[in-house]
Amino acid sequence: MFRAILDFFYPRTCVICDRRLATTERSVCAGCLSALPRILYKGGEEHGRIEKLFWGRVPIERATCGLRYDIEEVRLLVHTFKYFSQPQVAVDIAEILADELSATDFFEGIDAIVPMPLHSKRLRKRGYNQCDYIARGLQRVTHLPIIKNALRRLRNNPSQTHLTMLQREENVKDLFQVVRPELLENKHILLVDDVMTTGSTLLSAMQELQNIPNIHLSVFTIAYAGMVKPELV
């Protein structure tokens, strides 16, 4: 009832098509939501490519992304919550994708969610870390704890756009530091980011995290951009 009253005076609109949202819709209308291209967990070529990014480099339990970033509507969705001060969109989309994943075994055995940290300078400029909001959306479905103060980003590294795979890996080398290992010991953690391209930033974080005793690592991102032109990422 409260949402219906609020929507009457302050109508919400779909971030993709700008149509007025129904009371039960969150950030994206049902029509646009159904058209967004999913990446099926354990269900197709894209998913296999995602997990292979980490094979032989770090021990990993599972990795998946929710949506294909090569679609304009998905890029608009991500840019809205990442650059245009609408982090609630990240919560809503992550919750929707987590609800869909809950029908699989993806979340089984995971103990905590760890959002990828921003450097303090970028955090002050943007005002929020979009990965924290993605983690909140996942938590609404999984009820897993979120651990935000165990991993720190050491540098405000340049954008990965236009860099080759080797340049991306050099750009994020030794980028992270574990500052509270005791929070993650003996846990299976889900590392959360917004978009995965080559996986180099996540890989850098995982290489640092793997030194924690008896840690297990899985990965979730909203979108996969491995098949997108670099200038669009």
Side-chain angles (χ1 to χ4, degrees):
M1 178 64 73
F2 176 75
R3 168 54 65 188
I5 295 172
L6 198 63
D7 284 348
F8 179 80
F9 290 103
Y10 305 100
R12 300 169 302 128
T13 58
C14 174
V15 299
I16 294 175
C17 71
D18 207 35
R19 185 185 69 82
R20 183 168 179 167
L21 294 175
T23 303
T24 56
E25 294 174 332
R26 295 165 291 173
S27 292
V28 180
C29 69
C32 288
L33 182 63
S34 65
L36 294 177
R38 272 46 166 206
I39 295 175
L40 298 177
Y41 174 58
K42 292 184 177 178
E45 179 185 353
E46 293 97 342
H47 176 257
R49 186 183 289 112
I50 290 162
E51 291 202 332
K52 286 178 182 178
L53 292 171
F54 304 100
W55 287 0
R57 310 177 80 179
V58 291
I60 187 168
E61 301 292 326
R62 303 163 210 143
T64 198
C65 307
L67 304 169
R68 284 172 42 199
Y69 197 72
D70 58 331
I71 304 301
E72 182 179 356
E73 288 80 3
V74 175
R75 295 196 296 273
L76 174 61
L77 192 64
V78 172
H79 288 182
T80 298
F81 70 67
K82 190 171 182 177
Y83 301 119
F84 296 108
S85 301
Q86 296 188 53
Q88 182 59 40
V89 174
V91 179
D92 293 339
I93 297 304
E95 183 179 0
I96 290 166
L97 294 174
D99 190 54
E100 294 174 0
L101 271 176
S102 65
T104 74
D105 65 352
F106 183 77
F107 294 113
E108 287 184 11
I110 293 175
D111 299 302
I113 302 168
V114 175
M116 289 284 279
L118 283 182
H119 188 269
S120 56
K121 286 185 179 179
R122 191 168 297 181
L123 183 61
R124 285 195 298 270
K125 182 178 180 180
R126 185 171 297 166
Y128 60 92
N129 178 1
Q130 69 278 3
C131 294
D132 291 347
Y133 286 84
I134 295 170
R136 291 184 196 179
L138 299 180
Q139 186 184 53
R140 287 184 175 182
V141 175
T142 65
H143 308 293
L144 293 169
I146 298 172
I147 300 175
K148 296 197 294 185
N149 55 348
L151 185 66
R152 182 171 65 185
R153 198 178 193 114
L154 298 176
R155 303 190 308 277
N156 188 22
N157 58 311
S159 170
Q160 300 277 74
T161 304
H162 304 303
L163 299 183
T164 66
M165 185 171 183
L166 289 177
Q167 289 171 331
R168 285 171 182 258
E169 291 187 5
E170 186 62 29
N171 187 38
V172 297
K173 186 177 180 181
D174 302 321
L175 183 60
F176 298 95
Q177 178 185 29
V178 174
V179 291
R180 296 287 303 279
E182 71 278 7
L183 296 179
L184 304 178
E185 287 182 10
N186 305 308
K187 287 184 170 63
H188 181 178
I189 68 164
L190 181 62
L191 198 59
V192 171
D193 206 354
D194 48 20
V195 179
M196 183 192 304
T197 305
T198 65
S200 56
T201 305
L202 285 158
L203 180 63
S204 181
M206 294 166 75
Q207 287 171 333
E208 177 70 12
L209 289 165
Q210 71 178 340
N211 298 316
I212 298 173
N214 196 33
I215 193 170
H216 298 271
L217 301 168
S218 289
V219 168
F220 171 85
T221 74
I222 292 292
Y224 175 58
M227 296 176 289
V228 178
K229 294 179 181 179
E231 60 268 21
L232 296 179
V233 179

